Amino acid sequence: MEQLDQIISDFASYAWGLPLLILLIGGGLYLLILSRFLPFRYLGHALQVLRGKYDNPNDAGEITHFQALTTALSSTIGMGNIAGVAVAISIGGPGAVFWMWVSAVIGMSTKFFTSTLAIMYRGKDSEGKIQGGPMYFIMEGLGKKWKPLAVFFSLCGLVGALPVFNVNQLTQAINDILLVPNGVAVGFSSNLIIGAVLVIITSIVILGGLNRISKVASKMVPSMVLLYFVLVMFILIVNYEVVPKYFVMIFTDAFAATNFKGDSFLGGIVGGLILLGIRRGAFSNEAGIGTAPMAHGAAKTNEPVREGLVAMLGPAIDTLIVCTLTALAILVTGVWQTTDANGVSLTASAFANAMPGIGKYLLLICIIIFSISSLFSYSYYGTKCMSFLFGADKKHYYNYLYIASIIMGATTSLAMMINLIDGFFALMAIPTMTATLIMAPRVIKEFKAYKKRTFK
């Protein structure tokens, strides 16, 4: 059993290792250069599209541009933004944040290309309904002979979308921040109650399908980002005298690696620090994994480029805003130097330091909202994969498996299961990025045509 555990652990580490980073970051960099830094040149136009200026209720699709973005964001804004950033800083110091920003900038171009393709090459499920996502743009864009790649993506998606890791981390946060400090005995029974509550909340939303998921996400995501922003701004105001110092340190330490503690995968020195920041950024914003195109592929639009421009805002919000807020809270309070805590506990220490008594509970509210919103969108991704593989009439069976895995995630700390799901999630990037890189010139051609039609 221990040997199997080690094999799966090694598989997850390798899946999220250097080859994947080269595919995601190297591929994203190629797309950024190919598009001549398009994401930044059309940021204003992307915001106009997001606000609904170009919405047409008669266009094909199920949800608005705004709902598509918030559904995609509800999956990416989660534990990675709170625990992942803390891990990066505890290993790499302030400099790791700079490389997370680099990952976000590159991720913006990747999201533009993958989500434009999701609309350009929408397919139909077995019920004849229009669907989008990597499995459909592989089939429609590259042809039937590429079906094994689409099937590989969907099989990995069935496992990768399971919420075991998310639920496990949320249960741990509730135990560490709320229950244990208040003298509540934690164990199987308390974890089962947490799992049951999550099942009830999740079931109400996910069994209502995409429309209900998107409506809930479009209300929850802006609220949770705003709440988190307000809390971190308070921390920055309390520690205003050191904010400039740490902001500058993010840039200066990015090339110094003086605080880098390293690990066996990353090695040491500056190269290790760069990999650490980029790895955490890629894990957080999911650019190139293929999840976001499934949400954006359902948007009501007949203009693929518009949805691509909206999608590219995702990494900017997820990594440039939310991850930066977490990083600054940890840095200005100094907890990254004064405690051995890691992950979510380090972020909780920062909030407790700035807001004694209530800080960690306010953070817990954010963690709960972040995690629960992720549960909604991942179920949708899983049902899309199920529908592609076995037919649209079978997709609801995935929700039952999904709900059962919530209970498993809350009541067990099966590192093996968590690593397995984590590894499959990473493997989704192989078909997504392969197809995107092959079809990238088509996206550029589509963009040139869109520019002529829109900016006459």
Side-chain angles (χ1 to χ4, degrees), residues 205-421:
V205 177
I206 69 173
L207 298 178
L210 176 62
N211 275 315
R212 193 180 294 170
I213 291 169
S214 64
K215 279 174 185 166
V216 173
S218 66
K219 290 180 177 66
M220 278 181 82
V221 171
S223 308
M224 71 184 185
V225 173
L226 184 64
L227 170 65
Y228 198 58
F229 181 79
V230 169
L231 293 177
V232 175
M233 288 315 290
F234 178 81
I235 294 174
L236 298 184
I237 290 163
V238 169
N239 298 279
Y240 72 93
E241 71 283 353
V242 294
V243 171
K245 172 187 149 187
Y246 282 112
F247 198 76
V248 169
M249 203 182 278
I250 288 172
F251 293 92
T252 55
D253 277 26
F255 302 94
T258 48
N259 298 299
F260 185 67
K261 295 169 193 170
D263 67 25
S264 57
F265 161 69
L266 294 164
I269 51 174
V270 180
L273 178 62
I274 294 169
L275 284 176
L276 171 75
I278 285 176
R279 188 185 187 185
R280 286 290 157 192
F283 186 79
S284 177
N285 62 49
E286 293 175 19
I289 300 292
T291 48
M294 288 194 267
H296 289 287
K300 263 186 188 297
T301 184
N302 292 334
E303 289 285 6
V305 169
R306 273 184 201 149
E307 198 51 40
L309 289 169
V310 168
M312 78 180 187
L313 298 170
I317 296 166
D318 173 273
T319 309
L320 295 180
I321 296 175
V322 183
C323 286
T324 303
L325 289 174
T326 304
L328 288 173
I330 291 168
L331 293 173
V332 301
T333 51
V335 294
W336 63 288
Q337 290 176 310
T338 57
T339 174
D340 289 331
N342 202 339
V344 73
S345 304
L346 184 60
T347 313
S349 300
F351 275 70
N353 180 289
M355 295 175 264
I358 60 160
K360 60 183 182 179
Y361 298 118
L362 291 170
L363 174 66
L364 184 61
I365 292 168
C366 293
I367 290 170
I368 290 169
I369 298 170
F370 282 18
S371 296
I372 288 175
S373 69
S374 296
L375 292 179
F376 303 153
S377 43
Y378 278 126
S379 72
Y380 170 64
Y381 299 149
T383 56
K384 287 265 281 203
C385 294
M386 190 82 159
S387 172
F388 179 81
L389 290 168
F390 305 109
D393 56 327
K394 310 278 193 312
K395 68 179 181 184
H396 63 282
Y397 291 121
Y398 187 80
N399 283 330
Y400 305 130
L401 171 67
Y402 191 86
I403 286 163
S405 75
I406 292 176
I407 293 290
M408 193 181 81
T411 54
T412 59
S413 57
L414 284 175
M416 186 192 296
M417 193 68 189
I418 291 167
N419 284 330
L420 190 71
I421 288 166

Side-chain angles (χ1 to χ4, degrees), residues 5-277:
D5 198 19
Q6 188 59 47
I7 290 166
I8 292 171
S9 174
D10 291 343
F11 156 69
S13 294
Y14 185 76
W16 275 106
L18 197 55
L20 182 77
L21 286 182
I22 291 167
L23 182 65
L24 290 177
I25 303 306
L29 206 51
Y30 163 74
L31 296 173
L32 192 61
I33 294 163
L34 185 71
S35 66
R36 295 178 187 170
F37 295 84
L38 184 148
F40 311 101
R41 293 189 285 126
Y42 289 90
L43 210 52
H45 181 60
L47 292 168
Q48 287 179 328
V49 175
L50 184 65
R51 285 205 303 267
K53 185 177 176 181
Y54 299 92
D55 282 4
N56 182 349
N58 298 319
D59 283 350
E62 293 180 76
I63 55 178
T64 66
H65 292 293
F66 183 72
Q67 287 174 331
L69 179 64
T70 51
T71 301
L73 276 173
S74 67
S75 72
T76 61
I77 298 178
M79 293 304 288
N81 301 75
I82 292 172
V85 176
V87 169
I89 290 173
S90 63
I91 297 173
V97 180
F98 176 82
W99 296 108
M100 289 183 79
W101 291 345
V102 170
S103 164
V105 169
I106 294 168
M108 286 173 75
S109 80
T110 306
K111 283 259 171 105
F112 168 75
F113 277 84
T114 55
S115 298
T116 300
L117 286 169
I119 302 288
M120 278 175 75
Y121 296 106
R122 284 201 268 212
K124 287 185 178 176
D125 62 20
S126 60
E127 290 178 345
K129 288 182 182 170
I130 287 178
Q131 300 288 354
M135 61 287 240
Y136 292 100
F137 70 64
I138 289 167
M139 287 286 289
E140 302 298 319
L142 295 175
K144 295 275 193 291
K145 66 177 182 291
W146 289 82
K147 189 175 181 178
L149 204 62
V151 169
F152 178 73
F153 173 85
S154 301
L155 286 170
C156 290
L158 284 180
V159 183
L162 290 172
V164 174
F165 175 75
N166 205 356
V167 172
N168 186 276
Q169 293 295 296
L170 174 58
T171 306
Q172 196 178 321
I174 292 170
N175 287 341
D176 292 352
I177 297 171
L178 181 66
L179 302 183
V180 173
N182 291 296
V184 178
V186 298
F188 180 80
S189 301
S190 62
N191 291 344
L192 187 62
I193 292 166
I194 293 168
V197 171
L198 291 176
V199 163
I200 293 164
I201 296 168
T202 308
S203 301
I204 291 166
V205 177
I206 69 173
L207 298 178
L210 176 62
N211 275 315
R212 193 180 294 170
I213 291 169
S214 64
K215 279 174 185 166
V216 173
S218 66
K219 290 180 177 66
M220 278 181 82
V221 171
S223 308
M224 71 184 185
V225 173
L226 184 64
L227 170 65
Y228 198 58
F229 181 79
V230 169
L231 293 177
V232 175
M233 288 315 290
F234 178 81
I235 294 174
L236 298 184
I237 290 163
V238 169
N239 298 279
Y240 72 93
E241 71 283 353
V242 294
V243 171
K245 172 187 149 187
Y246 282 112
F247 198 76
V248 169
M249 203 182 278
I250 288 172
F251 293 92
T252 55
D253 277 26
F255 302 94
T258 48
N259 298 299
F260 185 67
K261 295 169 193 170
D263 67 25
S264 57
F265 161 69
L266 294 164
I269 51 174
V270 180
L273 178 62
I274 294 169
L275 284 176
L276 171 75

